[in-house]
Amino acid sequence: RRLCKSVNATALPNMVPPTAEETGHCSMVQLEEVGDTTVVSFRQERDESAMSTIIIRGSTDNIMDDIERAIDDGVNSVKVLSRDQRCLPGAAATEIELAKQLMTFGEQIPGMEQYAIRKFAEAFEVFPKILAENTGLKANEVLAKMYTAHQDKETGMKA
């Protein structure tokens, strides 16, 4: 079933010649050696490929079980996050975008309230500063790069 899914083929329950729609397509089939085991590798050279294979090796069964569990947890996390549209970007990207939007909003408000809005926006800059300092980076440089990335129309967040 996995092979059929990866090459876009249909599994046939009986021994009849397959039609052109049922055969599927694969870019490359080759024999590879993984350690001391020879395996048949099916590769799809396209972006929308639905399957991936992760080959793991370990010295003991306990290590293999731990690695398998970690990979399974990671794959399931990506599945859940990609299906849920409420997911936000991390690494303080959301906070920088909020600060940028609040600064823009604050500039449009007349009177003393604009200073309160500006200070509230500056408070959102604390999160990326702390993250940068904890990783040993210069906080001001990181803030400047993040604001630049959010101003860029190609890579920045869309409001």
Side-chain angles (χ1 to χ4, degrees), residues 47-60:
D47 293 337
E48 67 274 357
S49 183
M51 299 287 287
S52 294
T53 302
I54 301 173
I55 299 173
I56 57 172
R57 298 180 68 195
S59 57
T60 65

Side-chain angles (χ1 to χ4, degrees), residues 7 17 19 25 45 49-50 56 58 64 66 69 72 74 77 83 86 89 98-99 104 111 113 129 132 135 154 159:
V7 298
T19 63
H25 174 75
E45 302 295 333
S49 183
I56 57 172
M64 294 294 291
D66 289 344
R69 209 172 13 259
D72 191 47
S77 296
R83 289 182 184 150
R86 298 174 293 174
L98 286 171
T104 304
E113 289 142 0
K129 283 181 182 178
T135 58
E154 294 295 319

Side-chain angles (χ1 to χ4, degrees), residues 4-159:
C4 288
K5 184 177 179 183
S6 65
V7 298
N8 201 20
T10 304
L12 298 174
N14 50 9
M15 298 297 292
V16 295
T19 63
E21 297 85 32
E22 295 171 332
T23 56
H25 174 75
C26 186
S27 300
M28 184 186 324
V29 179
Q30 64 187 24
L31 287 174
E32 293 182 9
E33 285 199 22
V34 178
D36 55 355
T37 306
T38 303
V39 295
V40 179
S41 172
F42 295 86
R43 296 184 190 266
Q44 290 287 39
E45 302 295 333
R46 57 182 182 176
D47 293 337
E48 67 274 357
S49 183
M51 299 287 287
S52 294
T53 302
I54 301 173
I55 299 173
I56 57 172
R57 298 180 68 195
S59 57
T60 65
D61 288 338
N62 289 338
I63 291 175
M64 294 294 291
D65 291 340
D66 289 344
I67 293 171
E68 185 178 349
R69 209 172 13 259
I71 290 171
D72 191 47
D73 290 346
V75 168
N76 287 332
S77 296
V78 169
K79 278 185 192 176
V80 169
L81 290 174
S82 63
R83 289 182 184 150
D84 189 359
Q85 298 300 315
R86 298 174 293 174
C87 181
L88 294 174
T94 303
E95 287 81 1
I96 286 294
E97 183 65 23
L98 286 171
K100 185 185 86 160
Q101 297 280 338
L102 282 169
M103 289 281 194
T104 304
F105 175 72
E107 292 170 359
Q108 299 170 356
I109 302 297
M112 297 299 288
E113 289 142 0
Q114 68 176 295
Y115 296 111
I117 294 171
R118 182 175 294 156
K119 287 298 180 183
F120 185 62
E122 288 175 10
F124 279 107
E125 294 177 350
V126 171
F127 296 107
K129 283 181 182 178
I130 290 172
L131 287 174
E133 289 171 359
N134 286 346
T135 58
L137 300 172
K138 295 179 181 174
N140 291 335
E141 290 179 9
V142 171
L143 275 176
K145 287 180 182 178
M146 289 182 81
Y147 273 117
T148 302
H150 281 264
Q151 297 296 343
D152 187 9
K153 298 298 181 197
E154 294 295 319
T155 60
M157 289 179 58
K158 294 172 181 54

